[in-house]
């Protein structure tokens, strides 16, 4: 965590890497919310987000697709 008054980049709170990890772990323990940390190219500090990265997002979307499977392994739309 950065010492002194909290610093912000726009409306996002800035952390050093260790502080971001600590804040993400605390949020998970208290509220069961998973946060991802990322380095900001604008300010050089770390921020937290609930958003997934590109590949993680695509994998999550694939897991949640509702399809029916036939015996031959063919996927059918769920609305049939």
């Amino acid at each position: 965590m950065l010492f002194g008054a909290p610093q912000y980049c726009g409306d996002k709170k800035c952390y050093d890497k260790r502080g971001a990890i600590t804040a993400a772990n605390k949020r998970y323990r208290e509220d069961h919310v998973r946060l991802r940390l990322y380095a900001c190219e604008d300010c050089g500090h770390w921020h937290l987000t609930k958003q997934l990265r590109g590949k993680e997002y695509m994998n999550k979307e694939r897991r949640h697709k509702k399809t029916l499977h036939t015996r031959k392994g063919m996927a059918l739309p769920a609305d049939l």
Side-chain angles (χ1 to χ4, degrees):
M1 184 190 291
L2 301 173
F3 295 102
Q7 294 182 353
Y8 290 87
C9 173
D11 61 345
K12 302 174 210 157
K13 191 170 182 181
C14 296
Y15 299 93
D16 60 3
K17 188 171 185 177
R18 186 180 210 174
I21 292 169
T22 302
N25 288 337
K26 181 180 178 190
R27 182 75 188 273
Y28 182 74
R29 279 193 315 269
E30 292 175 355
D31 303 327
H32 299 284
V33 174
R34 291 190 189 273
L35 298 175
R36 180 177 65 85
L37 54 121
Y38 66 95
C40 180
E41 295 176 0
D42 296 332
C43 69
H45 292 105
W46 293 80
H47 302 297
L48 301 174
T49 184
K50 291 184 205 173
Q51 295 178 352
L52 300 175
R53 284 187 227 172
K55 286 184 179 179
E56 294 169 349
Y57 180 78
M58 291 303 293
N59 289 336
K60 185 175 183 179
E61 287 296 312
R62 286 185 194 133
R63 283 195 308 260
H64 287 94
K65 268 190 179 176
K66 294 181 180 177
T67 56
L68 300 173
H69 299 281
T70 64
R71 288 185 180 177
K72 294 181 181 179
M74 302 287 292
L76 299 174
D79 58 349
L80 291 178

